[in-house]
Structures are given as structure tokens and as C-alpha cells.
Amino acid sequence: LNPPLIAAVIYTESKYDPSAVSSAGAIGLMQIMPETGEWIASKLNRPFTPETLLDPYANAQLGAWYLRFLLDRYGGRVENAIAAYHAGQGSVDAWLKDARYSPDGLTLSRAGSTATQHYINKVLSAYENYQILYAAQ
């Protein structure tokens, strides 16, 4: 998985605050919902409690696994994976079936939600910056 992409998601989600909790209940660096964290942990055959998400190392591992899962699910299409990270796979699947949001059923031309489109733009901007920073090392 691309480290600049993970860094961009962490920056956008929590600004690197491991104790961040959203109004929706997402927790930690990568702002994972407890239900999603439990599902990911079951896929990895790991024990899980919601407090697991406050451990920066565990949160980053679970979030990175989930982002890799989404990238694989959407054929490596970063915008689709980022949209699904924010709005859920069901939303992205519906948008991909709608010609207003997807010209080919595979690629999002824009998200069906203003908030998700804003999120995609923020992550992609941070991703660009982190690619430059990582390349400089």
C-alpha cells in the first residue's frame, strides 16, 4: 500500500490525533467506525474492542488493511476507494450505476454527495503533497 496515500487519509481524517472521535462515532487516526473495525479485525483473525481503535498502531493497521481492501474491490481506482472509505461501499456502488456520477460504471466522475466529493478532493490534495514529501526522502 502506498505510504503517501495512508498519510493523506490519516491527515484528512484526524490531523494525526490518535484520540480523535467524530460526531458520528469514528475513532482514532484513520477514523474507523467500531462496527467497521470489528469487521476488519474478524477478517484479520484478531481480537477487537472499540478501545483498540485508540491504539495508533492498531488503528493504522486496520485502516490500511481496509483501504487496501477498497482499492482491490474497485480495481485500484483511488477516487472510488477514497469515496467508499468516506461514504461506504453501498453508496459508491450506487453512484457507479448512475450515469450522472459514472460515465462507464467503473470510474466516478464525481461523488453523489457534496461532503464526499469535498473529502475526495482533500485526500487527493494531501496525497499529492505527501508524494512530493516522500519522494524528497
Side-chain angles (χ1 to χ4, degrees):
L1 193 57
N2 190 330
L5 182 57
I6 294 295
V9 170
I10 291 173
Y11 176 77
T12 303
E13 287 288 350
S14 70
K15 303 285 189 284
Y16 289 93
D17 179 359
S19 62
V21 179
S22 76
S23 60
I27 299 171
L29 286 176
M30 295 190 75
Q31 290 291 281
I32 300 169
M33 294 295 287
E35 300 79 21
T36 303
E38 185 173 26
W39 178 79
I40 296 166
S42 76
K43 296 291 185 189
L44 297 171
N45 199 26
R46 297 173 114 180
F48 178 83
T49 66
E51 291 75 31
T52 302
L53 297 174
L54 291 169
D55 174 345
Y57 183 74
N59 188 290
Q61 284 187 319
L62 295 172
W65 184 92
Y66 187 50
L67 191 54
R68 173 81 268 161
F69 169 82
L70 293 171
L71 284 164
D72 291 345
R73 187 175 191 280
Y74 293 108
R77 293 173 187 85
V78 173
E79 289 85 353
N80 295 11
I82 294 168
Y85 195 93
H86 183 262
Q89 299 168 56
S91 294
V92 172
D93 293 347
W95 296 334
L96 288 171
K97 292 176 185 170
D98 189 329
R100 293 176 297 168
Y101 308 116
S102 177
D104 57 8
L106 297 171
T107 307
L108 286 177
S109 58
R110 65 185 172 96
S113 152
T114 303
T116 299
Q117 187 59 56
H118 181 67
Y119 177 82
I120 293 168
N121 295 342
K122 284 176 65 175
V123 171
L124 290 178
S125 176
Y127 182 39
E128 232 178 84
N129 290 331
Y130 281 113
Q131 285 177 310
I132 293 165
L133 290 171
Y134 275 75
Q137 290 185 2

